[in-house]
Amino acid sequence: MFHRNSIQKSAAANFGWPTTLLRTIAIAIIAFVVISSASANFVFAEDTNSNSRRNVSLNSMEQYVYDAIMKDIKEIAAGNKASSELTVNLMPKISKTTFTASELGLGILGTGGKFSNEAKSAVERRCIGSLDTDKVLTALLMDAPYELYWFDKTSECIQSVNSGFSGSVSGSTITNIILTTAEVKFSMPVSADYSASGRMNTYSINTSETKAAAAIAKKAQSIVSAAASKSDYAKLVHYKNEVSSLATYNTSVASDPSLSSRYGDPYQLIYVFDGDQSTGVTCEGYCKAFKYLCDLTKFNNSSIRCYMVSGRMAGGTGAGPHMWNLVHMEDGKNYLVDVTNCDTGTVGYPSQLFLVGDPNGVSTNYKKRTSNGDVSFVYGSDMFEIYTTAELMIANHDYMPVSDSGSGTTSSVNWKRLAGNGRYDTMKAIVDEGFVRTGGTVVIATGTGFKDALAASGLAGLDDAPVVLTDGKSLSKQARDILVRLKPSKVYVAGGKAVVEDGVLTQIRTATGVTPKRIAGANSSATSAQLALEGRGRWKESTAIIATNKSFKDALSVAPIAYAKGYPILLADNGQSLSDAVINALKTIGIKNAIIVGGMGAVNTNVENQLRNAGVAIKVRLAGTNGVKTSAAIATWGIQNGLSANKMGVATSQNYPDALAGAALCGFNNSVLVLADDKAWENALFPKAYKSTIKTGYIFGGTSAVGEKTVSQLKANVA
């Protein structure tokens, strides 16, 4: 009648919990014990919903027990209860307690004045039904990642169901049997971190410690409050970023059995929110913290929900037994979120394992390719007992954000094409669109190469200057017209004589009356170093951007960020090494942090090592599986770090001239740039997540660069 299974044991093993201390849950059914019954008032748990394990997995009696236990574990979590031996009186849930032999389908109820075991079992079946206390405990574990931070689930949790009976006797015949008492007791071991004795396998709680933990958990509520006005997608991004920022992966506990044998805070979410970077957590802590923030959130779309799942992972941090999240989004599909492997220095950093799917849409195992290699996930067998197949099935594509349904927000985006007859006419259209201030600074670069103009983006941003393109042999008419209109007081020329001849500088001086300053090195990487040195003393946040000089896509995409945030762009030779000139520039201008753009194929580990040897920490690597996806990753990071989607730009991924000037306009507008065209138009979906904020968007170049197919997709996704 009282069933048990191995869910807790197998779940613990697959969650990355220590397996050496797992014990079988004991259920002791003690019958014919007469104790006084008492009625109780129960407060139902406030953090359950229609898709919680409580409501999906449990029958009515199990839900009743769950609700009562949830009330007590919340009191423990808040520091208000000192014992973890929890008893639930089942009698208020039972409507009929007196039975005759015929009602139970029996010939007699017992002999010699004693009830038979058959009679007692029959009463229990009628009154209590199928009460599986293991299922109750599992549902609590899955639904309450915060409330059970104090519970040591690797030790023996004793669940006992006690029932007592009385009856009436007429002569030698027992005429009826009465259920007088029925209760279930959960003896839940306290983690040594919260035990009054500091030892495992105890049930007395140090309430000073639990009160302190409860206070720490208020940090989680402040994170949710800070995101209250954001869209549902932006809330999830915010939570991922916050957990990644607050959590440190506890390599020692994860890899050393002697440390992992003591199950406690490194496996919980308290260490995520305690403000102490020295208190690290395993994957379980990351996973629980993300779910807890989701549980605290009132999403605009009520169908959004977060699950915790477990199994094995290969290819990332925490390989082996692993725990991660699934998020059910408003499109009715589930997406993988592995916050552990979105943290700094991991395989999926910063968002490559955030709200992603698998092309096969599988419900047993899946694989995701990141810029740093493949990561595979396989569910533990117990997950199929806890969740339905539909709940474990992930989408066959990565999540594409949509605006909140029912929010009343509409978007009418004006997509403005800035183009002309050739690259210099397009450049002029772009500069004329956004740059009107006279007497400022102008940056001149060749329109027949991308390296110098891109490296100059950060310097241009320090003075809100346009990047103006010219032919290297003669000042282009369009460049001259811009110079005459803007009447600059300072003109920089990026690049040496091989790319912009001295005669061009003479023509600039004639047009403006200003002697231009050439900034150049022996090659493109050295020129990027000289441009960085020119801005010495004005760069922001001691941060530089590192990009390859081998191709243009990554540096094009990041140029608006360099412009808007005041970061120099320094080029790595073929993405394989930093020149002495670049290393010297990093040290001279005091760079402490680096943003690398592109995957390992674009900027390799040798560059990372050179940066570290120069005392430069790698703040983030922004990458996708190709140039188009990298541009989306860069733009997403830009928006997450202060830039806007309004006045964003879209340029072709196939060539660079239009985006050279367009990147400066985007940076000037504090906005982002994505690469797309009719051959690679997937980034036309990018604005969908931000359509409520976009009023104007720019398309750089004519239809031969960014065609009508892409424009149609842009319009459709912000309609």
Side-chain angles (χ1 to χ4, degrees):
M1 177 184 59
F2 300 110
H3 303 290
R4 68 169 302 280
N5 54 42
S6 61
I7 289 177
Q8 187 192 12
K9 180 177 179 179
S10 56
N14 284 301
F15 286 2
W17 300 336
T19 57
T20 56
L21 294 184
L22 291 172
R23 299 176 176 86
T24 304
I25 299 174
I27 299 179
I29 304 172
I30 306 174
F32 208 64
V33 177
V34 179
I35 55 176
S36 61
S37 64
S39 61
N41 296 319
F42 296 98
V43 178
F44 291 114
E46 299 175 352
D47 55 358
T48 58
N49 56 59
S50 60
N51 296 101
S52 70
R53 294 307 91 190
R54 175 206 187 269
N55 294 323
V56 171
S57 304
L58 306 185
N59 62 33
S60 177
M61 180 60 78
E62 289 163 351
Q63 288 179 350
Y64 179 83
V65 173
Y66 172 108
D67 292 334
I69 296 295
M70 180 68 88
K71 175 187 175 183
D72 282 340
I73 67 174
K74 284 185 172 182
E75 287 297 297
I76 294 173
N80 298 329
K81 190 174 178 64
S83 173
S84 60
E85 295 184 283
L86 313 177
T87 301
V88 181
N89 180 14
L90 303 179
M91 296 302 288
K93 182 67 175 174
I94 301 169
S95 57
K96 180 177 173 59
T97 58
T98 303
F99 300 89
T100 63
S102 61
E103 286 178 313
L104 297 175
L106 301 175
I108 60 173
L109 295 174
T111 59
K114 294 183 178 180
F115 301 118
S116 67
N117 289 334
E118 185 180 21
K120 291 182 288 186
S121 295
V123 172
E124 289 170 337
R125 283 193 297 272
R126 288 291 190 94
C127 294
I128 302 174
S130 178
L131 171 59
D132 186 337
T133 52
D134 263 7
K135 287 178 65 177
V136 173
L137 183 58
T138 298
L140 289 165
L141 288 169
M142 304 310 289
D143 290 343
Y146 163 64
E147 287 84 352
L148 285 169
Y149 68 80
W150 49 268
F151 173 46
D152 184 352
K153 58 187 67 64
T154 67
S155 295
E156 181 180 15
C157 178
I158 300 173
Q159 298 139 231
S160 60
V161 182
N162 306 326
S163 51
F165 305 87
S166 67
S168 301
V169 179
S170 176
S172 61
T173 302
I174 302 175
T175 58
N176 60 34
I177 182 171
I178 304 170
L179 181 69
T180 56
T181 58
E183 66 179 21
V184 59
K185 182 177 180 180
F186 283 68
S187 297
M188 305 180 71
V190 181
S191 162
D193 292 337
Y194 298 99
S195 169
S197 65
R199 298 194 303 270
M200 300 170 62
N201 297 311
T202 63
Y203 308 102
S204 295
I205 299 165
N206 183 338
T207 56
S208 296
E209 291 294 332
T210 50
K211 285 182 184 295
I216 288 171
K218 292 179 181 178
K219 171 67 175 177
Q221 184 58 64
S222 70
I223 293 170
V224 172
S225 298
S229 62
K230 296 178 182 289
S231 70
D232 287 341
Y233 171 71
K235 285 184 174 75
L236 293 169
V237 171
H238 180 69
Y239 298 160
K240 184 266 295 181
N241 290 342
E242 284 293 308
V243 173
S244 295
S245 174
L246 295 171
T248 301
Y249 188 74
N250 197 324
T251 304
S252 298
V253 166
S255 61
D256 187 343
S258 67
L259 295 174
S260 63
S261 63
R262 177 171 164 146
Y263 182 85
D265 277 333
Y267 298 87
Q268 305 297 340
L269 52 77
I270 298 300
Y271 273 2
V272 175
F273 300 117
D274 66 354
D276 185 351
Q277 288 292 314
S278 69
T279 54
V281 295
T282 64
C283 57
E284 189 174 343
Y286 283 87
C287 176
K288 288 179 175 178
F290 185 77
K291 176 172 169 56
Y292 184 43
L293 293 173
C294 291
D295 288 347
L296 290 173
T297 301
K298 183 177 181 181
F299 289 105
N300 298 318
N301 190 304
S302 60
S303 65
I304 295 176
R305 55 188 179 271
C306 180
Y307 300 129
M308 299 188 301
V309 294
S310 67
R312 299 189 69 83
M313 181 271 293
T317 299
H322 194 62
M323 181 185 267
W324 63 97
N325 299 104
L326 295 183
V327 178
H328 182 87
M329 295 301 291
E330 79 290 327
D331 60 1
K333 298 178 181 179
N334 304 316
Y335 298 88
L336 176 146
V337 172
D338 186 357
V339 184
T340 305
N341 281 292
C342 286
D343 203 352
T344 305
T346 62
V347 67
Y349 182 79
S351 300
Q352 297 179 72
L353 292 173
F354 176 71
L355 292 177
V356 297
D358 181 285
N360 297 316
V362 290
S363 61
T364 56
N365 61 280
Y366 31 84
K367 179 181 289 187
K368 186 64 181 177
R369 173 159 293 177
T370 74
S371 60
N372 298 311
D374 291 348
V375 185
S376 61
F377 300 83
V378 180
Y379 292 129
S381 60
D382 55 290
M383 291 294 99
F384 303 99
E385 301 177 59
I386 298 171
Y387 295 108
T388 66
T389 299
E391 287 173 323
L392 295 174
M393 178 79 70
I394 68 169
N396 61 5
H397 57 84
D398 294 350
Y399 178 70
M400 180 55 65
V402 298
S403 294
D404 297 332
S405 60
S407 65
T409 300
T410 60
S411 176
S412 179
V413 178
N414 174 32
W415 289 104
K416 187 172 184 179
R417 188 186 289 274
L418 300 176
N421 185 23
R423 66 186 62 188
Y424 298 117
D425 280 341
T426 294
M427 177 273 300
K428 185 175 185 299
I430 292 169
V431 174
D432 288 349
E433 172 70 16
F435 296 92
V436 298
R437 180 169 66 93
T438 60
T441 300
V442 172
V443 175
I444 304 285
T446 179
T448 57
F450 63 88
K451 301 175 183 179
D452 298 334
L454 287 176
S457 297
L459 183 63
L462 295 179
D463 292 318
D464 290 335
V467 173
V468 176
L469 305 180
T470 182
D471 181 81
K473 295 183 180 297
S474 178
L475 185 67
S476 66
K477 178 182 182 302
Q478 298 85 348
R480 183 185 184 282
D481 290 345
I482 292 170
L483 290 170
V484 170
R485 176 175 64 83
L486 294 180
K487 300 179 177 62
S489 60
K490 181 186 293 184
V491 178
Y492 289 116
V493 174
K497 296 178 182 180
V499 291
V500 180
E501 295 182 0
D502 283 341
V504 175
L505 275 66
T506 300
Q507 291 175 297
I508 292 171
R509 186 166 55 249
T510 299
T512 63
V514 174
T515 300
K517 182 175 183 178
R518 185 191 293 276
I519 303 177
N523 51 38
S524 62
S525 66
T527 294
S528 74
Q530 291 301 314
L531 289 164
L533 290 170
E534 182 66 26
R536 182 180 181 182
R538 296 198 290 159
W539 300 116
K540 309 294 175 59
E541 302 175 24
S542 300
T543 297
I545 294 170
I546 307 297
T548 180
N549 63 5
K550 186 177 182 180
S551 62
F552 58 84
K553 295 180 183 180
D554 300 340
L556 270 181
S557 302
V558 82
I561 295 175
Y563 189 111
K565 297 187 74 67
Y567 300 158
I569 296 178
L570 291 159
L571 300 179
D573 289 324
N574 293 316
Q576 297 178 0
S577 64
L578 299 178
S579 65
D580 290 342
V582 168
I583 295 293
N584 177 67
L586 289 169
K587 293 179 178 179
T588 300
I589 62 181
I591 295 299
K592 300 300 182 185
N593 302 290
I595 298 170
I596 298 176
V597 290
M600 290 297 181
V603 179
N604 68 13
T605 54
N606 180 56
V607 173
E608 291 184 349
N609 293 334
Q610 286 183 285
L611 288 169
R612 294 188 181 101
N613 290 337
V616 179
I618 298 169
K619 183 176 183 179
V620 61
R621 179 186 284 267
L622 302 174
T625 53
N626 55 45
V628 170
K629 290 185 177 180
T630 293
S631 79
I634 291 170
T636 299
W637 187 90
I639 291 172
Q640 293 171 356
N641 287 272
L643 275 68
S644 172
N646 189 36
K647 297 187 177 181
M648 65 173 288
V650 181
T652 179
S653 62
Q654 303 300 305
N655 210 340
Y656 58 82
D658 300 337
L660 290 176
L665 178 62
C666 291
F668 181 78
N669 290 328
N670 197 48
S671 190
V672 295
L673 171 72
V674 295
L675 302 181
D677 55 47
D678 289 354
K679 295 180 181 179
W681 54 268
E682 55 193 291
N683 274 350
L685 303 174
F686 179 85
K688 192 169 188 176
Y690 311 103
K691 68 179 185 180
S692 63
T693 63
I694 304 174
K695 302 303 179 185
T696 300
Y698 292 111
I699 299 164
F700 300 134
T703 55
S704 62
V706 181
E708 290 306 321
K709 179 179 179 180
T710 299
V711 175
S712 295
Q713 289 292 327
L714 286 168
K715 291 179 178 178
N717 283 288
V718 294

